[in-house]
Amino acid sequence: MKAFVVEKYGKDGAHAADVPEPTVGDRDVLVRVSATSINPLDKMVRNGEFKQLLKYKAPFVLGHDVAGVVTRVGSAVRDFEVGDEVYARPRDLRIGGFAEFIAIDQDDVAPKPDLLTLQEAAAVPLVALAAWQILVDRAHVKPGQKVLIHAGAGGLGSTVIQLAKHLGATVATTTDTGTEKLVRSLGADVVVDYTKEDFSKVLSGYDLVLDSLGGANLEKSLTVLKPGGLAIGVVGPPDAGFAKQLGAPSFMGAVMNTLSRKVRKQAKALGVRYQFFFMQANGSQLRELGALYDGGQLRPVIDRIFPFGQTLEAMAYVEQGRTKAGKVVVSMVPDND
């Protein structure tokens, strides 16, 4: 089958290749991929940023989002049948959405939301799971709380805005002039145009900040939190909880804590908290999220659809910051199919 694989870590480490179709274990479903999407995590894995914690064996197929049709099921699979339309974020070390077929553990798979096309569904799993796990599992967002979401027009930000509003939060976001109307349509109550204003000068008293930019933006984010508030970073720096989540040796937790010592110290001085977040595959949560997409509470935002043969060009498009809003999708079929 055709796939895009990583032969070696680095910017030029991914290329097109013919690889064997995946073997199907007892608990696996084999999915013919209809569409996938590009995530910043693809670049990070390709570049080896997590190689001490995620031990991929080259060559491996990239791709963290999948939507497609089940073509075979393992002997222990009960909830899926051949012909089912599904979507998934395969678990770490079993990614591979940039391919014609992928074998996925049944626990990571869910039925595709009825109201979404396969191309739309491919834009959903990673960002929707991240939004759910940040807002519901980690931060326990309650009605009336104040949430600041940076880069609200992005794939993750646009999803988190919608889910935070569904949970009853008051939502602020940062974006640029060209996407202000979009983020308001998604539910943002307060919009800060970062090209005109410094969010840390106009916002205060927030229960939660989601930072996807890091560095100085993260440090400033700590200052808009109320006492006891929580800043969650998705680009780092990592902390000991990340190493524990991935089952790494205890010494790696100490290494991660060293990397995040500065920001955690700053947070403590302000009476707030900082945590790194790395999402996990979860098919049952995708089922719950699917109901929200079918119920109209959530909708995917798609910037552009590339054909499968241009997967590397799609990655470059995202890396170069050319995405105006939402996700970039890679489709196995023509746009009008």
Side-chain angles (χ1 to χ4, degrees), residues 26-194:
D26 291 346
R27 295 175 43 80
D28 293 346
V29 296
L30 183 67
V31 177
R32 180 190 292 275
V33 179
S34 298
T36 182
S37 69
I38 309 297
N39 293 286
L41 186 55
D42 297 311
K43 178 193 77 169
M44 298 167 83
V45 169
R46 182 203 65 196
N47 290 353
E49 293 184 28
F50 300 124
K51 63 184 178 183
Q52 299 302 322
L53 294 169
L54 293 173
K55 306 287 188 179
Y56 287 100
K57 295 180 180 178
F60 63 91
V61 182
L62 263 181
H64 290 80
D65 280 321
V66 174
V69 180
V70 175
T71 60
R72 199 187 321 164
V73 297
S75 60
V77 174
R78 297 290 177 266
D79 294 335
F80 298 97
E81 299 178 349
V82 172
D84 286 350
E85 293 187 335
V86 297
Y87 72 149
R89 190 291 205 189
R91 63 190 58 185
D92 299 310
L93 303 183
R94 293 200 63 184
I95 62 171
F98 298 173
E100 293 181 300
F101 291 91
I102 181 174
I104 312 172
D105 188 291
Q106 61 178 344
D107 287 347
D108 302 345
V109 181
K112 177 189 73 66
D114 291 334
L115 294 187
L116 300 187
T117 67
L118 285 161
Q119 286 70 35
E120 290 170 334
V124 167
L126 186 146
V127 293
L129 285 170
W132 183 276
Q133 291 167 16
I134 289 167
L135 297 175
V136 178
D137 296 344
R138 185 76 68 92
H140 310 294
V141 169
K142 303 289 192 298
Q145 288 189 316
K146 294 169 65 177
V147 176
L148 168 60
I149 299 155
H150 285 296
L156 178 60
S158 62
T159 308
V160 181
I161 288 173
Q162 296 176 77
L163 185 57
K165 283 302 294 182
H166 173 68
L167 295 172
T170 297
V171 177
T173 193
T174 57
T175 193
D176 62 19
T177 309
T179 50
E180 180 175 346
K181 185 175 180 181
L182 169 67
V183 297
R184 289 193 186 280
S185 76
L186 297 173
D189 301 290
V190 179
V191 180
V192 178
D193 184 338
Y194 66 79

Side-chain angles (χ1 to χ4, degrees), residues 198-276:
D198 180 342
F199 72 90
S200 65
K201 299 287 195 292
V202 295
L203 303 178
S204 62
Y206 278 73
D207 297 276
L208 173 69
V209 177
L210 173 60
D211 175 73
S212 55
L213 302 171
N217 195 80
L218 172 59
E219 293 177 15
K220 286 200 296 186
S221 293
L222 299 175
T223 69
V224 308
L225 289 167
K226 72 178 189 182
L230 174 63
I232 291 180
V234 296
V235 296
D239 56 18
F242 177 43
K244 183 178 180 182
Q245 177 181 326
L246 296 183
S250 57
F251 78 88
M252 287 302 299
V255 172
M256 297 294 108
N257 264 350
T258 299
L259 295 174
S260 57
R261 179 180 294 149
K262 178 184 176 184
V263 69
R264 288 185 296 106
K265 185 176 179 180
Q266 291 172 324
K268 186 175 181 180
L270 291 166
V272 301
R273 297 167 292 147
Y274 167 75
Q275 295 175 4
F276 178 67

